[in-house]
Amino acid sequence: MISISSSRRGLIGTTGALTFQLLVAALAAGPIALPGCPETCGDIAVPYPFGIGPGCFHEGFNLSCQKKHRTKLLLGDGTEVLGISLPDGTVRIDSNVFQSASADFNGTWPGPPATGPFMVSSRYNWFVAYGCNIIAQLIPYGNAVGKISTCASMCVDSVQDVNSPMCSGIGRCRAPIYWDLTSYSIQVTHMAV
């Protein structure tokens, strides 16, 4: 099993959710929001250049506040926002990633929309994989070149040890993300042991 989660680590896998901090184009911050515009959605502050509603945001920073089962702050494409930090230039998001019934798979995570001001932050994220006897790789997508983030995870008798230290290589592993991009290829290969 491989999955995705946490603001300091990106996990890949069969089921899960991804929490990545995204880099935000730096803009001068003024008051928390423009006059007449909402300053919060639930317990999340919405500082300008972000905004909820027409005339409340700088182009590319539009958000919506959904108040159905629970209050959610959403980027224009529907990705849930978990927090915004103008001093750090980051937005923490939560999004679905992969599902696979097989230990071997190739996929592409498109990340944030390429037309917007966001990209995955190599500073605030790790590439993390959960699984037994796998090699997981995060690769720059398309023409991007650079280092490949690779980690390997082993299990005794193909059973994850839930008591092993996080990312020790026993049932889970992690590697640094080397580039700030908008999309990645992910390859997971089962190791014969």
Side-chain angles (χ1 to χ4, degrees):
M1 178 181 110
I2 321 166
S3 58
I4 300 221
S5 156
S6 180
S7 64
R8 293 258 178 206
R9 47 195 174 300
L11 313 172
I12 66 163
T14 54
T15 60
L18 168 71
T19 304
F20 270 131
Q21 292 203 21
L22 303 176
L23 295 179
V24 178
L27 296 174
I32 184 81
L34 293 178
C37 296
E39 293 189 358
T40 62
C41 175
D43 60 355
I44 301 174
V46 181
Y48 185 82
F50 294 92
I52 300 169
C56 291
F57 56 87
H58 187 285
E59 184 177 342
F61 292 86
N62 57 312
L63 302 173
S64 60
C65 189
Q66 180 185 75
K67 297 178 182 179
K68 290 185 180 176
H69 304 289
R70 67 177 179 89
T71 301
K72 290 184 189 181
L73 182 61
L74 304 173
L75 281 172
D77 68 349
T79 301
E80 184 176 3
V81 174
L82 303 174
I84 299 170
S85 173
L86 291 182
D88 290 340
T90 61
V91 174
R92 287 186 323 114
I93 65 165
D94 185 18
S95 66
N96 291 325
V97 181
F98 287 103
Q99 291 188 10
S100 175
S102 169
D104 293 329
F105 71 90
N106 293 316
T108 302
W109 183 66
T115 57
F118 307 103
M119 64 181 63
V120 173
S121 169
S122 60
R123 177 178 176 199
Y124 289 99
N125 294 285
W126 287 90
F127 175 64
V128 178
Y130 286 108
C132 291
N133 308 325
I134 59 167
I135 297 174
Q137 296 181 310
L138 183 69
I139 303 165
Y141 184 74
N143 295 330
V145 292
K147 298 178 182 177
I148 296 173
S149 296
T150 303
C151 70
S153 173
M154 301 292 293
C155 298
V156 177
D157 297 326
S158 295
V159 175
Q160 289 188 24
D161 180 0
V162 294
N163 297 316
S164 69
M166 179 60 180
C167 302
S168 66
I170 301 172
R172 57 197 116 180
C173 61
R174 77 176 185 178
I177 295 175
Y178 294 106
W179 350 260
D180 301 329
L181 299 174
T182 59
S183 61
Y184 301 86
S185 292
I186 297 176
Q187 295 179 347
V188 178
T189 307
H190 183 265
M191 293 184 289
V193 289

